[in-house]
Amino acid sequence: MNGTDLVILGGGPGGYACAFRAAQLGLSVVLVERDKLGGTCLHRGCIPTKALLHTAEVADTAREGVRIGVKSSLAGIDLGAVGAYKDSVVDRLRQGLRSLADAHRITFVKGTGALVAPGTVEVDGRRCAGRHVVLATGSYARSLPGVDPGGPVVTSDQALALTSVPDRVIVLGGGVIGVEFTSLWRSFGAEVTIVEALPGLLATEDTYAAKQLARAFRRRGIKVKTKARVATVDRTAPDGVSVTLESGDVLSADLLLIAVGRAPNTVGHGYEESGVALDRGFVVTDDRLRTSLPGVRAVGDLVSGPQLAHRGFQHGIFVAEDIAGLDPSPVQDTAIPRVTYCTPEVASIGLTEHAATDAYGTVETVTYDLAGNGRSQILGASGGIKLIRAPHGAIVGVTMVGDRVGELIGEAQVILGTGATAKDLASLVHAHPTQNEALGEALLAMAGKPLHAHA
Ligand code: NAD
């Protein structure tokens, strides 16, 4: 394999994006993957969970049709058929990726690779050498110490493969995975309790989102327990699994989902042994994603920061272009949009009020309630938008809560990217009636001329 420009370890979003871009730029690429192309995102994360969340949305629509005069009801969820639909979506996308990899003439090596020296990866005993090595081995679902998955205790990996809807579920962890599965199972008819150690759900988001989401979840009949720490888990309980909290409360359910974060896949791949510096398990990189070992870069969930597929894509593209000498701009974590696909959805970009206050000393905020937005009222959506303005006039944070607000994040991204003031942006004409108009209303309010809102 001498003469290869890039050997990439891992075929998830970071790895395959790097491979595709490098190939487009005329570099020769070897992509090493032990499983299927697409990684966690395609096989155990973004795509299968969003397929399930789509079925949840359809179930809610069937259940709620009667409220708006459509005689409908939900007869039940056939999780076998739901799973077949989810798998068909995943398989179609996987085949698409495979055909793109072939079209780019990427050499795909199936096997478990390890870094053995700068520029050298060993795959099941076979050596692959390249001018550059890109580490892209992603992350895995953490468990609680002493509580390994098995039986009624699952991580998101096993939760995606359930064949029947559990009657009662405890979700441990109120981060992105926890709230998405909570929302999903509630829509499928389960009784769900979500347990979070911190004071609010989605702790990395603005507290505005956490409060709106907790309120909406409670309205949906979900039990939300915050500031709740687990003392013990008993998986031998006669009726499934029982969880005792430090407060003494005992919860029992048929299923316990552990969603307490994802850890970088950095052990067992020869990284530290070859001289790649790690910090709390993450690969240490500079702003050009170079590791401490010359010629070795790292992308995606291996690098401390938001663990998001679209960050991985951007990392991969950046590294390929940097190696090809195009001098791309480094990827900024604050410019990465975040979307949580629960009902209601949460979408955000930039800083939270807390982080903006730390950064600028003082900030101004405006909130706009979807109660004033015509399209949201038609759709029965509740939630709102919060804008954060720094003292120099630029908007530095946007948080949105409501049905399908994830589709609105693109405009917020452009707003943050341009650094324009609310006064300039308030003259943008938004189509009526759209949900996207709510962002326009928030901008009007921030410019001191609210329309469908009280001053
Ligand atoms: P997370 O870090 O987002 O949330 C884990 C939560 O568990 C935290 O709020 C933490 O306080 C809580 N927790 C930890 N230990 C606990 C305990 N013993 N008892 C109660 N609560 C406890 O992690 P996640 O939700 O597992 O997600 C992992 C990663 O995957 C995240 O970085 C996330 O962004 C990413 N992801 C993104 C999407 C998306 O973009 N829609 C979807 C799924 C996952």
Side-chain angles (χ1 to χ4, degrees):
M1 296 252 172
N2 279 335
T4 301
D5 293 309
L6 245 78
V7 178
I8 302 172
L9 207 49
Y16 79 68
C18 187
F20 289 4
R21 186 67 187 123
Q24 285 162 4
L25 293 168
L27 301 174
S28 55
V29 181
V30 170
L31 181 59
V32 182
E33 168 59 54
R34 64 183 171 194
D35 197 354
K36 293 180 217 148
L37 199 55
T40 299
C41 167
L42 179 55
H43 300 285
R44 294 172 301 282
C46 319
I47 299 298
T49 54
K50 271 56 196 186
L52 294 183
L53 282 155
H54 175 60
T55 59
E57 194 181 355
V58 173
D60 287 338
T61 306
R63 205 180 268 125
E64 289 164 10
V66 74
R67 186 180 60 80
I68 56 169
V70 179
K71 289 184 183 168
S72 62
S73 61
L74 181 68
I77 302 287
D78 175 352
L79 212 48
V82 170
Y85 146 72
K86 168 195 69 131
D87 293 345
S88 72
V89 173
V90 169
D91 203 54
R92 220 173 309 134
L93 291 170
R94 185 190 59 77
Q95 285 177 34
L97 277 184
R98 198 53 223 244
S99 93
L100 284 172
D102 291 345
H104 284 116
R105 299 187 190 289
I106 288 161
T107 306
F108 187 74
V109 175
K110 180 144 189 181
T112 303
L115 185 68
V116 288
T120 310
V121 162
E122 201 170 270
V123 188
D124 300 328
R126 176 178 163 198
R127 291 211 156 200
C128 299
R131 280 197 304 122
H132 301 268
V133 173
V134 180
L135 311 179
T137 43
S139 61
Y140 64 92
R142 287 181 203 274
S143 197
L144 285 179
V147 187
D148 292 331
V153 179
V154 296
T155 66
S156 54
D157 291 353
Q158 297 89 38
L160 283 168
L162 293 184
T163 50
S164 62
V165 178
D167 289 335
R168 296 166 310 150
V169 185
I170 299 167
V171 172
L172 196 59
V176 186
I177 294 181
V179 303
E180 287 188 351
F181 273 97
T182 294
S183 187
L184 169 72
W185 280 325
R186 185 63 191 140
S187 296
F188 282 178
E191 250 180 55
V192 189
T193 304
I194 181 164
V195 178
E196 165 58 50
L198 295 173
L201 300 177
L202 296 183
T204 53
E205 296 291 345
D206 197 289
T207 51
Y208 175 74
K211 283 184 190 142
Q212 297 254 355
L213 186 61
R215 199 178 318 136
F217 269 11
R218 287 190 174 113
R219 270 202 305 266
R220 293 181 60 197
I222 294 163
K223 293 190 190 104
V224 178
K225 288 188 172 285
T226 50
K227 290 193 203 163
R229 292 198 155 272
V230 173
T232 56
V233 172
D234 177 7
R235 66 173 85 223
T236 62
D239 54 350
V241 55
S242 105
V243 172
T244 305
L245 301 180
E246 283 179 359
S247 63
D249 283 3
V250 180
L251 312 170
S252 51
D254 311 301
L255 191 78
L256 170 65
L257 171 71
I258 310 260
V260 295
R262 295 184 63 85
N265 255 326
T266 44
V267 176
H269 307 303
Y271 296 173
E272 221 170 1
E273 297 80 348
S274 306
V276 171
L278 303 183
D279 179 20
R280 282 161 298 145
F282 290 96
V283 177
V284 177
T285 59
D286 64 8
D287 69 341
R288 305 202 83 77
L289 300 171
R290 289 176 292 219
T291 71
S292 57
L293 200 61
V296 179
R297 310 257 189 151
V299 297
D301 286 5
L302 292 180
V303 181
S304 179
Q307 292 169 306
L308 297 167
H310 44 285
R311 175 174 175 261
F313 291 143
Q314 218 46 46
H315 275 180
I317 292 169
F318 170 84
V319 163
E321 293 187 349
D322 208 34
I323 287 173
L326 300 190
D327 195 25
S329 301
V331 180
Q332 304 291 342
D333 282 351
T334 49
I336 295 174
R338 306 174 290 268
V339 181
T340 306
Y341 298 82
C342 42
T343 301
E345 270 181 15
V346 175
S348 63
I349 184 155
L351 302 176
T352 62
E353 181 176 348
H354 186 76
T357 308
D358 276 355
Y360 297 103
T362 167
V363 292
E364 261 178 89
T365 66
V366 153
T367 56
Y368 179 76
D369 197 304
L370 294 188
N373 175 255
R375 193 76 199 273
S376 299
Q377 290 314 297
I378 292 165
L379 299 173
S382 59
I385 294 182
K386 177 171 176 176
L387 302 182
I388 298 162
R389 173 160 62 183
H392 62 285
I395 292 168
V396 293
V398 177
T399 296
M400 305 191 266
V401 182
D403 287 5
R404 297 277 168 130
V405 290
E407 302 298 336
L408 311 185
I409 202 65
E411 181 177 350
Q413 194 165 8
V414 173
I415 290 172
L416 262 74
T418 58
T421 65
K423 188 163 168 283
D424 301 329
L425 294 162
S427 62
L428 280 178
V429 181
H430 289 81
H432 175 77
T434 57
Q435 280 194 288
N436 159 267
E437 202 182 1
L439 192 50
E441 295 267 0
L443 291 166
L444 281 171
M446 185 155 252
K449 41 183 181 178
L451 181 57
H452 298 98
H454 295 286

